[in-house]
Amino acid sequence: MDPVDVVIIGAGASGGAVAWSLAETKMRIVCLEQGDWQKPDQYPSAGRDWEARQMNDMNPSPNRRARDTDYPVNEDDSPIKIANFNGVGGGTVLYAAHFPRFHPSDFRVKSLDGVADDWPINYQTLEPFYAENDRMTGVSGLAGDPAYPPKQPMMKPLPLGKGGATLARGLDRLGWHWWPSDSAIATEDYEGRAKCINLGHCTSGCAQGAKASTDITYFPLAMRAGVEVRTRARVKEITMGRNGMASGVVYFDADGKEVFQPAEVVIVACNGVGTPRLLLNSKSGKFPNGIGNSSGLVGKNLMFHPYARIWGYFDGPTDGYRGPGDCIWSQEFYETDRARGYLRGYTFELTRGQGAVMAAVHGNAIGMLPWGEEHHDAYRKLHCHRAGMVGICEDLPEEHNTVTLDPVLKDCHGIPAPKITYTLSENSRRMLAHAVARGTDILKAAGAWNVGHESPLQEGGWHLMGTARMGKDPERSVVNEWGRSHDVKNLFIVDGSIFVTSAGVNPTCTIQALALYVADAMKQRLATLFD
Ligand SMILES: Cc1cc2nc3c(=O)[nH]c(=O)nc-3n(C[C@H](O)[C@H](O)[C@H](O)COP(=O)(O)OP(=O)(O)OC[C@H]3O[C@@H](n4cnc5c(N)ncnc54)[C@H](O)[C@@H]3O)c2cc1C
Ligand code: SF4
């Protein structure tokens, strides 16, 4: 295989951003992705069986989806289960596209609250890259949110709909903060993408192309600028050269053949589980415990966002499944208030209802949908009468929460699978309990007649962070303050693994801003990168 200048592993949220940004250097860049290109006309949103398919081939759990492009995950020792998507676009194919930035305080947790660590960079460092990512992605929202420094969304916000307006009234009655969400969903035609038509079911792919997944945003532009994307290319290991630098990668191609791809620079963008798995699988004489792991921190400090889901039913109609799932956030309880009995905080994302099938399945599960004569009347009170929220809680880094290699489980190429070991902390438990109580207040203030909750949300492991953290001290971090491995100078990581802390918001716009920032740092140092 001809050598390349840069090999990027993973074509998800961060892989797309870094590929696009580096493309202008005209270096020879190859992106290796274990999954396939997407076929939007085959997304569930284009068919009537979308809810059934969300349970099967478009399930967010790789274990349940179980395509040959997925890898299995041993999650027996975790109350929160992994959700991802493996293919061009990565998790952005299935994500809800809720797109909040971190707050400035999120980068200074140690200074402010005496826990975890401060980041080696701050909000101001990332601000221009947040803005660049917003432009590339096409973010809708409303300027002026008092919870944030000034920022300017590209398009008008998503409609609140009946459910959003109902919940906003509840928040108004309590006098609590709410604001239309920033969302990576086009509300107007944007850069060749059609606007959202409120079909719903965004979390099984957007056939309309309104939702910004990187297969339709960054990658087409990166490829036009010369980046090559190779699909069905599953990287087994990053190899070391004699000079102490990474020499390239070994991957399985579409025919299952092992291929060595030599490269001057290796960039890992496989997410908070896939990245530590790959680093730990890349053993050599110099790095018997995995490449770039002299700190011993690769795979440690795994953070999810523990989620509480709180819902209620209303006499008046709500939106059911129609429209993007999240349209409002409340950050009333975002910053630390020690009187609440925990540190840090959470965001409420206000969510619409469910589809017809889930309304029945869930109604049955919570005992509100009896069989027999009353069945249809009861169902009519459930379907399109539900709204609610999730409380997305900041998870603090703890070294005992890990991604390791499973001694037995392997993917279809025989590569050891990741094993998750995770315990919910006492701080998270208290925060979740607070979110359930305050979420119940909101629903009652909005007029809900039957309020319930699930906490922690078992299937909610969709934010994967912290397993190759950034920092200035090589003994306390895996990569430096611009994403370069402390141990191997031509090895970079750009995905959520490098997060120091998790904040109380969805991570993807910060992941992509970081990837653009790392790419920019590389471009500025091109002449002297490996001196
Ligand atoms: C159902 C769901 C809803 C979500 N909702 C939101 C939301 O509303 N807002 C938000 O901010 N985030 C959301 N997320 C999370 C979001 O998808 C992730 O934060 C984001 O995609 C992570 O980006 P990444 O670049 O770190 O990794 P990913 O996007 O996961 O990309 C990693 C890529 O690397 C590939 N890969 C891994 N290992 C290898 C290997 N060895 N060889 C080759 N390729 C490999 C994978 O196939 C994958 O395509 C959601 C996720 C899910 C699943
Ligand atoms: S609601 Fe909008 S963004 Fe979501 S799937 Fe439908 S068209 Fe796409």
Side-chain angles (χ1 to χ4, degrees):
M1 189 60 70
D2 288 342
V4 295
D5 298 311
V6 181
V7 65
I8 299 168
I9 312 162
S14 56
V18 80
W20 169 79
S21 178
L22 288 180
E24 67 168 343
T25 63
K26 298 296 168 202
M27 292 190 285
R28 172 126 201 249
I29 301 172
V30 168
C31 182
L32 302 176
E33 166 56 51
Q34 66 189 338
D36 294 310
W37 279 100
Q38 309 316 310
K39 297 189 178 115
D41 62 332
Q42 291 172 20
Y43 282 153
S45 53
R48 284 191 178 174
D49 57 348
W50 62 276
E51 287 180 279
R53 288 190 57 199
Q54 275 189 327
M55 296 292 114
N56 293 295
D57 68 312
M58 293 303 269
N59 198 299
S61 160
N63 289 341
R64 283 195 241 157
R65 210 169 46 231
R67 300 178 179 194
D68 58 354
T69 47
D70 289 314
Y71 54 90
V73 182
N74 179 343
E75 47 196 13
D76 294 347
D77 287 338
S78 174
I80 298 176
K81 310 299 178 190
I82 301 297
N84 67 11
F85 189 76
N86 297 309
V88 181
T92 63
V93 172
L94 297 188
Y95 77 159
H98 207 241
F99 225 55
R101 296 182 185 184
F102 276 24
H103 288 208
S105 59
D106 291 322
F107 298 87
R108 304 177 53 237
V109 169
K110 176 88 170 177
S111 302
L112 291 172
D113 295 317
V115 286
D117 280 301
D118 288 349
W119 288 55
I121 57 172
N122 57 28
Y123 183 89
Q124 284 67 33
T125 319
L126 281 192
E127 206 285 329
F129 303 100
Y130 273 131
E132 183 172 48
N133 189 51
D134 283 1
R135 279 193 301 277
M136 291 300 296
T137 300
V139 171
S140 56
L142 185 66
D145 185 345
Y148 277 99
K151 55 188 163 60
Q152 187 62 51
M154 276 56 254
M155 287 167 267
K156 65 183 180 191
L158 295 168
L160 300 189
K162 298 187 191 93
T166 304
L167 294 170
R169 274 196 293 277
L171 282 155
D172 280 346
R173 280 183 195 125
L174 295 165
W176 291 351
H177 168 266
W178 70 268
W179 203 259
S181 307
D182 285 354
S183 189
I185 292 177
T187 49
E188 295 152 27
D189 291 353
Y190 189 80
E191 300 288 336
R193 284 166 38 218
K195 68 177 180 185
C196 172
I197 49 173
N198 298 310
L199 275 173
H201 20 130
C202 313
T203 51
S204 47
C206 174
Q208 171 79 348
K211 189 179 81 167
S213 49
T214 56
D215 56 320
I216 59 167
T217 57
Y218 279 111
F219 275 109
L221 296 176
M223 290 166 74
R224 215 172 296 154
V227 172
E228 182 193 348
V229 177
R230 271 180 227 156
T231 53
R232 295 238 162 197
R234 174 173 281 151
V235 178
K236 175 186 156 195
E237 65 172 310
I238 303 164
T239 51
M240 282 298 292
R242 289 211 189 91
N243 55 0
M245 305 278 239
S247 54
V249 303
V250 176
Y251 69 93
F252 288 97
D253 72 8
D255 300 322
K257 203 169 78 215
E258 276 194 43
V259 179
F260 174 56
Q261 174 61 67
E264 295 293 328
V265 174
V266 176
I267 301 179
V268 190
C270 295
N271 84 31
V273 169
T275 288
R277 175 199 186 205
L278 177 58
L279 298 180
L280 293 171
N281 270 320
S282 302
K283 298 187 168 86
S284 59
K286 185 158 186 210
F287 296 111
N289 299 319
I291 193 166
N293 193 17
S294 67
S295 64
L297 288 174
V298 170
K300 294 192 175 153
N301 295 303
L302 170 68
M303 294 174 281
F304 296 120
H305 284 125
Y307 268 72
R309 171 173 285 155
I310 313 108
W311 65 81
Y313 292 87
F314 295 85
D315 290 334
T318 59
D319 306 303
Y321 62 87
R322 284 179 220 96
D326 309 305
C327 53
I328 292 177
W329 62 47
S330 169
Q331 296 196 323
E332 181 70 23
F333 304 106
Y334 197 83
E335 307 290 349
T336 296
D337 176 350
R338 286 173 189 268
R340 295 184 194 132
Y342 59 84
L343 294 172
R344 309 302 302 152
Y346 61 89
T347 298
F348 277 129
E349 289 170 18
L350 285 82
T351 52
R352 299 187 209 270
Q354 303 165 310
V357 175
M358 281 317 292
V361 171
H362 189 254
N364 190 271
I366 59 175
M368 288 173 63
L369 190 57
W371 293 109
E373 274 184 23
E374 299 156 42
H375 183 79
H376 285 120
D377 276 347
Y379 181 75
R380 269 191 281 274
K381 286 185 187 148
L382 300 179
H383 186 37
C384 292
H385 287 276
R386 175 178 152 132
M389 70 204 74
V390 288
I392 150 171
C393 296
E394 173 157 358
D395 200 2
L396 290 168
E398 296 179 298
E399 283 195 21
H400 58 82
N401 291 331
T402 58
V403 177
T404 52
L405 296 179
D406 192 275
V408 180
L409 193 64
K410 295 185 170 46
D411 66 24
C412 63
H413 291 103
I415 307 172
K419 172 174 167 46
I420 311 298
T421 307
Y422 179 89
T423 314
L424 205 58
S425 69
E426 184 54 28
N427 196 63
S428 292
R429 285 182 196 284
R430 290 182 187 194
M431 205 185 305
L432 284 164
H434 190 272
V436 168
R438 297 294 77 81
T440 304
D441 291 344
I442 296 168
L443 284 159
K444 289 193 170 156
W449 54 264
N450 191 337
V451 178
H453 72 269
E454 182 186 348
S455 169
L457 204 58
Q458 189 182 319
E459 73 271 24
W462 34 58
H463 300 160
L464 311 169
M465 301 162 285
T467 47
R469 67 206 317 243
M470 64 170 12
K472 290 190 173 154
D473 180 354
E475 292 188 2
R476 303 260 315 124
S477 54
V478 177
V479 296
N480 72 4
E481 66 274 27
W482 46 285
R484 178 161 89 170
S485 159
H486 288 299
D487 297 339
V488 183
K489 281 187 169 179
N490 63 341
L491 176 64
F492 294 80
I493 305 175
V494 292
D495 58 62
S497 317
I498 66 178
F499 278 27
V500 180
T501 53
S502 69
V505 286
N506 319 55
T508 306
C509 81
T510 302
I511 290 174
Q512 292 182 307
L514 266 174
L516 294 175
Y517 155 75
V518 171
D520 187 67
M522 292 173 76
K523 285 187 281 193
Q524 290 191 28
R525 293 168 172 87
L526 267 187
T528 56
L529 202 50
F530 311 118
D531 293 349

